[in-house]
Amino acid sequence: MNNCVLEQPEPLLYGTPSITIRKSISRNGGQPFEDSDVLVLSSRSTSDTHSKDSTQLYLDLRLSKPLLPDSTITWSFAGIRVTLSSTPLRFRWNHHIDSQGRDGPPDEGTMTSCDGEEVETGIGVNPETGEQEQYEERWIDQPVTPATPFAFLTSSREPSESTGFIAILGDHVLAMRQNYSPNDTEFQAVRMRISTSSSSEVLFKQSADTLLPLLESALSGIDNWKESPWQRGQEITLQEERWTVWDAGMTGE
């Protein structure tokens, strides 16, 4: 794997990467329910997440339940999350790729904490109806195994120009890709579980013929880190494609 580091050093990142699952969603004040298996992997942040304009990379994959290899995508998107305000804590999730299309209204929500859960409220698109509705989502952070490698990769140096995103964190792997040429708007996605350093299981895939070899190359690259993890801003080669490291390291460091 050929690597090179970009000439301009990237800013340091803060905090820890996170694994988040959704517990429930309610719309327009209705009863909470959960019809999707939702996994979000998020990188470290460019500053404290409560600081205005702090950014982090995220991948959000929502699959029909129960989670099976032939589940369907209920919604999936990836990009940069921006902190809009600290009081109240409010975020915007920029959808640089989106299984529903990138031309939707802004995805913004206000966050509060309640009983160990993160509660997100706002007005957003219901992917089933395409209409704007009030919603409340409850999120739970999952533990991250310490002293394990993680990586967040983009297919272009600028996430806003990227058509592909990869996240490897704990025993979770997500990858998404969406090209926008006139003849190719197909949304590609993979969710994997890492069992051991040399074993992984594909939990879900859609149009993943090119994504799976990229993931295998990325996982092989991480296995070969030894004492030299990838660095933020570094360019790496996966299956003869150039990818950029948005964040990488060892958890707990």
Side-chain angles (χ1 to χ4, degrees), residues 12 33 37 46 51 55 74 101 110 117 162 168 176 202 208 220 223:
L12 293 175
F33 65 96
D37 190 303
T46 53
S51 300
T55 62
T74 57
T110 300
E117 300 172 357
S162 294
I168 301 167
M176 305 175 192
V202 176
S220 175
D223 284 342

Side-chain angles (χ1 to χ4, degrees), residues 34-50:
E34 187 51 88
D35 61 351
S36 300
D37 190 303
V38 182
L39 175 66
V40 182
L41 301 183
S42 304
S43 72
R44 293 178 294 179
S45 303
T46 53
S47 60
D48 183 279
T49 56
H50 288 67

Side-chain angles (χ1 to χ4, degrees), residues 118-139:
E118 296 298 313
V119 181
E120 176 189 341
T121 56
I123 299 175
V125 174
N126 181 339
E128 293 185 356
T129 65
E131 300 294 326
Q132 291 264 74
E133 298 177 359
Q134 291 185 339
Y135 71 88
E136 178 183 288
E137 292 175 303
R138 288 183 172 257
W139 300 92

Side-chain angles (χ1 to χ4, degrees), residues 65 144 152 184 213 224 227:
K65 298 177 73 173
V144 179
F152 289 80
D184 187 6
N224 294 327
E227 301 301 322

Side-chain angles (χ1 to χ4, degrees), residues 21-251:
I21 62 172
R22 193 175 71 181
K23 177 183 176 182
S24 66
I25 181 171
S26 60
R27 299 189 184 279
N28 292 329
Q31 289 296 311
F33 65 96
E34 187 51 88
D35 61 351
S36 300
D37 190 303
V38 182
L39 175 66
V40 182
L41 301 183
S42 304
S43 72
R44 293 178 294 179
S45 303
T46 53
S47 60
D48 183 279
T49 56
H50 288 67
S51 300
K52 188 176 183 297
D53 298 326
S54 175
T55 62
Q56 66 176 199
L57 191 73
Y58 75 92
L59 286 77
D60 185 328
L61 180 59
R62 309 180 179 196
L63 302 171
S64 60
K65 298 177 73 173
L67 177 58
L68 297 169
D70 59 352
S71 290
T72 58
I73 294 176
T74 57
W75 201 4
S76 184
F77 45 93
I80 292 292
R81 189 193 78 179
V82 181
T83 302
L84 300 178
S85 65
S86 57
T87 307
L89 183 59
R90 187 167 178 80
F91 298 131
R92 175 191 297 126
W93 291 266
N94 293 312
H95 296 198
H96 299 319
I97 61 173
D98 188 325
S99 63
Q100 301 284 335
R102 293 187 299 179
D103 298 327
D107 181 3
E108 299 178 0
T110 300
M111 307 296 292
T112 57
S113 297
C114 181
D115 298 328
E117 300 172 357
E118 296 298 313
V119 181
E120 176 189 341
T121 56
I123 299 175
V125 174
N126 181 339
E128 293 185 356
T129 65
E131 300 294 326
Q132 291 264 74
E133 298 177 359
Q134 291 185 339
Y135 71 88
E136 178 183 288
E137 292 175 303
R138 288 183 172 257
W139 300 92
I140 301 174
D141 285 336
Q142 300 296 290
V144 179
T145 305
T148 56
F150 66 89
F152 289 80
L153 311 176
T154 58
S155 60
S156 298
R157 173 167 166 74
E158 295 297 331
S160 60
E161 300 174 359
S162 294
T163 59
F165 296 83
I166 292 174
I168 301 167
L169 176 59
D171 60 357
H172 298 284
V173 179
L174 291 179
M176 305 175 192
R177 198 172 206 173
Q178 185 175 35
N179 296 320
Y180 286 93
S181 62
N183 298 320
D184 187 6
T185 57
E186 187 174 56
F187 197 89
Q188 307 167 34
V190 175
R191 178 173 169 180
M192 298 172 64
R193 177 170 54 217
I194 302 173
S195 301
T196 66
S197 60
S198 59
S199 175
S200 58
E201 176 187 4
V202 176
L203 301 177
F204 169 82
K205 62 179 181 178
Q206 174 177 290
S207 306
D209 290 347
T210 59
L211 273 183
L212 284 172
L214 289 171
L215 283 177
E216 292 171 1
S217 183
L219 290 170
S220 175
I222 287 178
D223 284 342
N224 294 327
W225 272 2
K226 300 187 184 301
E227 301 301 322
S228 300
W230 293 332
Q231 300 297 312
R232 174 163 160 77
Q234 181 177 349
E235 289 188 351
I236 61 172
T237 301
L238 304 178
Q239 294 290 307
E240 301 183 353
E241 293 186 18
R242 304 298 289 174
W243 286 69
T244 299
V245 178
W246 206 90
D247 188 13
M250 300 293 291
T251 57

